[in-house]
């Protein structure tokens, strides 16, 4: 049995955990007021609905969140790749009905496994093409476009009795660093930051979004603390009249864990105005993760809150306010779940992606594909190198993984020779053609060796043309790869890009 302060702290904590069953420590904390859980890929299996049922049995008001964005980011389909359009694809299409229907489909899938919070949509405006953590997860690089698609997606999600959580406030789009590994600093002109990067969040607040997730980024004009721990930054949301739940990005990310620590970060985030603390994925420490890392991280965060409550650096009123907002959202979702939801029977994900695909140059009509997968390595946020993309593209043809960032030139030459000699059309699968010199160099080398080769780009659309015909997909997903394969096999006609920014 926890003491009174621990129980109060439980009401603002949102841990991840290992396994496909709820561990006993987690069930005990849920019975003692823990706000809920966050699902990650390691939790997903055939028994996920039963896992949700066990969590809700322990705490009927539990919030169960999941990173289910579609496109390049999925947890429900982490083993096989997403079959839902991604944000960049929807932004390129610029069809608000398609975005709303995609949001409704995400809600349907999340609700079907017993969860009730979608950690999306991404409201970042991706203005730095080098961005390693956002990229095609954003609807685009224009704040007006991003704003309207964020609102459409929120409407689709929340009409499905599921909470939407826009992220990553105040905007993670203008950085070339990954906050899973470091603490990015954005030194933009403040007028530009407010005009561009805050706009989609204002639109989301005006649309009645249930939750907003913070970013572990520093904007020096607003102080030296990362946004997650910065009362000035989080206070902007309240100044706009927002009274929903402010959720932190995972406190176990390096930007917090390796600076102020989990416990210190938890107390500082609450003091800054956050309401629900995502302790996040216990695998974030990588090889350093211990078998009980999930419970250790949870207790470290709670101990930090309790210590701050006891020494007076964190007021009880602030924690009670935060827990009250969390409880109000849980009550709203519980009431909504009692009503029948509209079906998304007319949702055709494949048709949406077919409408998005574009090509530069004349695509060959292939009968078989031999694929060199030269994409960047996976990150903690995005499974960039997930084998399902190349497998779906290659079908029964040859597929070779080539890490061009580390492979010697001789190894690259050997792989090119192997694939060019194989049956079928040579395909270079890439994701950073404008910012990764090694990927572009490989394409140029392939063009010289096999002028009939083609490129499939699953990253941001190419700004500087490549020397080979290129299919632009804008998502590292199974659906995107299958659609690109269909295009290369001549199963449907791909529209030509009309500009370099298409």
């Amino acid at each position: 049995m926890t003491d009174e302060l621990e129980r109060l702290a439980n009401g603002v904590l949102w841990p991840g955990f290992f396994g496909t069953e709820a561990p006993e420590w987690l069930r005990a904390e849920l019975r003692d007021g823990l706000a809920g859980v966050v699902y990650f890929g390691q939790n997903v299996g055939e028994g996920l609905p039963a896992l949700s049922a066990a969590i809700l049995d322990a705490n009927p008001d539990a919030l169960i969140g999941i990173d289910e964005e579609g496109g390049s980011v999925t947890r429900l389909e982490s083993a096989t790749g997403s079959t839902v359009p991604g944000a960049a694809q929807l932004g390129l299409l610029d069809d608000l009905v398609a975005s709303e229907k995609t949001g409704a489909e995400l809600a349907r899938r999340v609700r079907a496994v017993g969860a009730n919070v979608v950690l999306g949509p991404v409201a970042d405006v991706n203005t730095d093409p080098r961005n390693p953590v956002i990229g095609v997860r954003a609807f685009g690089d224009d704040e007006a476009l991003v704003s309207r698609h964020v609102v459409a997606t929120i409407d689709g999600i929340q009409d499905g009795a599921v909470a939407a959580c826009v992220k990553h406030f105040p905007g993670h789009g203008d950085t070339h660093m990954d906050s899973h590994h470091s603490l990015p600093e954005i030194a933009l002109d403040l007028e530009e930051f407010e005009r561009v990067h805050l706009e989609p969040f204002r639109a989301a607040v005006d649309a009645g979004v249930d939750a907003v997730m913070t970013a572990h980024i520093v904007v020096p004009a607003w102080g030296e603390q990362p946004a997650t721990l910065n009362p000035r930054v989080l206070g902007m949301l309240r100044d706009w009249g927002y009274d929903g739940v402010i959720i932190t990005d995972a406190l176990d990310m390096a930007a917090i864990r390796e600076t102020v620590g989990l416990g210190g970060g938890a107390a500082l985030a609450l003091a800054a105005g956050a309401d629900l603390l995502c302790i996040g994925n216990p695998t974030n420490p990588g090889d350093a993760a211990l078998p009980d890392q999930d419970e250790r991280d949870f207790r470290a965060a709670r101990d930090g809150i309790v210590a701050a409550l006891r020494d007076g650096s964190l007021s009880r009123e602030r924690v009670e306010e935060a827990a009250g907002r969390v409880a109000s959202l849980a009550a709203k979702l519980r009431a909504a779940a009692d009503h029948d939801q509209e079906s998304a029977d007319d949702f055709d994900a494949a048709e949406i992606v077919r409408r998005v695909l574009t090509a530069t140059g004349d695509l060959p009509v292939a009968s078989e594909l031999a694929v060199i997968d030269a994409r960047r390595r996976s990150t903690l946020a995005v499974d960039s190198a997930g084998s399902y993309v190349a497998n779906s593209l290659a079908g029964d043809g040859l597929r070779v993984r080539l890490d061009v960032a580390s492979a010697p030139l001789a190894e690259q030459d050997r792989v090119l020779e192997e694939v060019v000699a194989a049956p079928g059309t040579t395909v270079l699968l890439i994701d950073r053609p404008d910012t990764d010199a090694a990927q572009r160099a490989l394409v140029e080398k392939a063009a010289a060796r096999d002028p009939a080769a083609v490129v499939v780009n699953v990253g941001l659309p190419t700004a500087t043309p490549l020397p080979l015909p290129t299919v632009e997909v804008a998502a590292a997903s199974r659906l995107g790869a299958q659609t690109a394969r269909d295009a290369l096999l001549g199963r449907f006609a791909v529209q030509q890009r009309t500009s370099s920014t298409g």
Side-chain angles (χ1 to χ4, degrees):
M1 179 69 178
T2 56
D3 68 18
E4 182 189 9
L5 292 183
E6 288 178 339
R7 183 177 177 85
L8 176 61
N10 272 0
V12 298
L13 289 172
W14 217 29
F17 62 96
F18 289 133
T20 55
E21 296 183 359
E24 177 50 41
W25 72 264
L26 181 64
R27 294 196 299 272
E29 300 298 346
L30 285 162
R31 290 191 291 268
D32 226 2
L34 183 64
V37 301
V38 184
Y39 285 155
F40 291 92
Q42 74 258 10
N43 306 123
V44 175
E46 292 183 1
L48 192 56
L51 173 59
S52 299
I55 288 167
L56 292 169
D57 181 63
N59 179 359
D61 288 320
L63 297 178
I64 303 176
I66 187 165
D67 262 323
E68 197 62 25
E69 298 174 13
S72 299
V73 175
T74 177
R75 301 291 180 253
L76 293 177
E77 298 180 288
S78 57
T80 56
S82 178
T83 54
V84 177
Q89 293 174 324
L90 293 166
L92 288 165
L93 187 61
D94 200 10
D95 178 340
L96 295 179
V97 173
S99 290
E100 183 171 358
K101 287 184 176 181
T102 298
E105 175 65 10
L106 291 171
R108 185 194 68 78
R109 294 184 180 201
V110 165
R111 200 173 61 248
V113 299
N116 52 21
V117 181
V118 171
L119 295 176
V122 169
D124 303 310
V125 183
N126 196 79
T127 51
D128 189 334
R130 300 170 299 169
N131 200 319
V133 70
I134 304 300
V136 294
R137 297 170 65 194
F139 290 104
D141 59 7
D142 174 80
E143 67 273 15
L145 179 142
V146 172
S147 296
R148 60 180 176 264
H149 287 278
V150 162
V151 169
T153 307
I154 289 169
D155 288 345
I157 292 171
Q158 294 189 175
D159 284 350
V162 171
C165 176
V166 291
K167 57 190 183 185
H168 307 81
F169 184 80
H172 210 311
D174 198 280
T175 176
H176 61 277
M177 298 171 66
D178 184 346
S179 53
H180 291 84
H181 302 290
S182 58
L183 183 56
E185 182 176 299
I186 300 180
L188 276 183
D189 175 77
L190 197 55
E191 183 279 330
E192 180 183 356
F193 198 106
E194 292 178 344
R195 173 177 54 82
V196 175
H197 297 281
L198 292 184
E199 185 55 33
F201 294 98
R202 287 194 191 95
V205 167
D206 289 345
V209 71
D210 284 325
V212 177
M213 177 172 280
T214 66
H216 303 326
I217 59 167
V218 172
V219 180
W222 291 327
E224 298 179 356
Q225 294 171 302
T228 298
L229 312 180
N230 190 325
R232 180 174 178 183
V233 175
L234 301 190
M236 285 191 288
L237 287 166
R238 303 305 181 199
D239 291 342
W240 296 346
Y242 178 66
D243 196 37
V245 176
I246 297 176
I247 301 176
T248 69
D249 206 346
L251 296 178
D252 47 294
M253 290 161 61
I256 303 298
R257 181 192 287 273
E258 295 180 9
T259 55
V260 295
L262 264 172
L268 288 170
L270 282 167
D275 302 307
L276 184 58
L277 310 185
C278 178
I279 305 165
N281 191 340
T283 65
N284 273 351
D287 293 340
L290 298 169
D292 61 345
Q293 192 70 52
D294 49 359
E295 186 176 2
R296 284 172 179 260
D297 285 354
F298 163 73
R299 296 199 184 284
R302 189 173 68 183
D303 289 349
I305 296 169
V306 170
L309 284 167
R310 285 180 173 148
D311 70 19
S313 58
L314 176 64
S315 75
R316 182 178 181 126
E317 291 74 21
R318 169 78 272 272
V319 183
E320 288 173 341
E321 175 190 51
R325 286 199 182 99
V326 173
S328 293
L329 176 57
K332 172 185 172 180
L333 294 175
R334 194 174 182 186
D338 292 337
H339 300 283
D340 291 337
Q341 304 303 318
E342 293 183 10
S343 171
D345 291 337
D346 61 344
F347 178 70
D348 189 339
E351 176 59 22
I352 290 173
V353 175
R354 281 193 293 270
R355 291 168 59 198
V356 172
L357 251 63
T358 57
T360 303
D362 296 327
L363 297 181
V365 177
S367 58
E368 191 171 350
L369 305 180
V371 176
I372 299 176
D373 182 359
R375 294 171 296 150
R376 60 178 165 159
R377 297 174 182 174
S378 297
T379 68
L380 287 166
V382 184
D383 190 9
S384 308
S387 60
Y388 46 74
V389 177
N391 289 344
S392 297
L393 184 61
D396 294 331
L398 177 67
R399 178 187 72 86
V400 180
R401 170 70 181 158
L402 178 64
D403 186 351
V404 291
S406 61
L409 292 178
E411 172 67 7
Q412 296 184 31
D413 290 338
R414 186 198 66 76
V415 169
L416 269 174
E417 289 174 6
E418 176 188 359
V419 175
V420 169
T425 298
T426 301
V427 180
L428 285 300
L429 175 60
I430 62 173
D431 59 358
R432 294 176 75 80
D434 294 315
T435 60
D436 188 323
Q439 286 188 11
R440 183 169 285 267
L442 181 70
V443 173
E444 291 169 351
K445 189 180 294 189
R449 187 158 304 185
D450 182 5
V454 296
V455 172
V456 171
N457 174 30
V458 295
L460 295 172
T462 310
T464 304
L466 294 165
L468 289 172
T470 303
V471 179
E472 301 286 0
V473 180
S477 66
R478 174 162 49 115
L479 175 60
Q482 288 171 337
T483 308
R485 175 177 172 81
D486 287 344
L488 292 172
L489 296 180
R491 293 172 180 166
F492 72 98
V494 183
Q495 60 180 319
Q496 285 286 314
R497 292 185 76 194
T498 56
S499 72
S500 63
T501 57

